[in-house]
Amino acid sequence: MRVFAALGRYIDHADPATRIANSVALLVGSNGPFYPAYVWYLAPEAGPVSLATMAASPFFLAIPWLSRRSAVAARVALPVVGIANTVWTAALLGPATGVAVFLFPCLLLAMLSWREKTAMFVLLGAGLAAQQALLRWPWPALSGLDPMVQGNLVALNAMSVGALLAVLVASLAGLLRDHDVADGRGTPP
């Protein structure tokens, strides 16, 4: 239980949007080591190369630390690291794995910086540009996987993104509900 209390303190922040960003960063960063295991199971040929996808985990895990220095930087860092990780994973495993769907949570995360309109629009633009680049990816995957094997990973990536989007939407809904209650427009849960 002490570990959970320490993790709670690590992601805590006075700004609710930053607290959500910290929670998501911790969730994604801590799940980074499991992704290669799933890939290895579904596409053993990609197993060794998929270990390189864990390279982004330390960056995700550092976002709550960054939030202590700058809440804006932390909210910006999360979609930036997510976009970079998505492009990196596509380069490793191939765009036919459907990994580009991870850009959708990145776009939603860009909305967490809604108070910083310039940051929000730059991040949204970066996410959409990355999506277009992955749709037109001209190079073979570094793993050398053929498209049939890459296709085995589409369901994994779709399920992962669905779960992540559910967490994000639930977190944002809670933030909006809490805001409405604080403004006297809603009822407490």
Side-chain angles (χ1 to χ4, degrees):
M1 291 304 196
R2 287 178 159 190
V3 171
F4 292 119
L7 290 174
R9 286 189 303 275
Y10 184 59
I11 63 173
D12 193 33
H13 199 280
D15 175 51
T18 304
R19 189 170 48 251
I20 290 171
N22 287 348
S23 298
V24 170
L26 185 66
L27 175 69
V28 174
S30 62
N31 277 290
F34 296 104
Y35 185 76
Y38 303 139
V39 170
W40 214 309
Y41 176 76
L42 295 170
E45 307 91 329
V49 173
S50 70
L51 292 172
T53 65
M54 292 188 301
S57 287
F59 295 102
F60 283 113
L61 295 173
I63 288 172
W65 172 86
L66 178 61
S67 75
R68 306 290 186 267
R69 279 98 192 125
S70 169
V72 173
R75 288 194 312 271
V76 168
L78 183 55
V80 167
V81 172
I83 291 167
N85 186 45
T86 300
V87 172
W88 170 241
T89 303
L92 290 169
L93 301 176
T97 60
V99 74
V101 297
F102 279 100
L103 292 171
F104 293 121
C106 295
L107 295 173
L108 185 57
L109 289 167
M111 299 304 289
L112 285 175
S113 64
W114 65 80
R115 285 169 284 178
E116 297 82 23
K117 298 280 190 228
T118 302
M120 179 184 71
F121 288 121
V122 168
L123 292 168
L124 289 172
L128 293 170
Q131 182 185 42
Q132 289 304 306
L134 292 180
L135 289 173
R136 292 167 175 72
W137 195 264
W139 305 285
L142 295 174
S143 63
L145 297 176
D146 65 59
M148 178 80 77
V149 174
Q150 290 180 40
N152 292 339
L153 300 174
V154 171
L156 168 67
N157 291 325
M159 184 183 70
S160 298
V161 166
L164 183 54
L165 285 172
V167 167
L168 283 170
V169 169
S171 297
L172 292 172
L175 175 67
L176 293 173
R177 182 187 62 243
D178 293 347
H179 183 267
D180 285 349
V181 168
D183 284 351
R185 291 183 287 179
T187 56

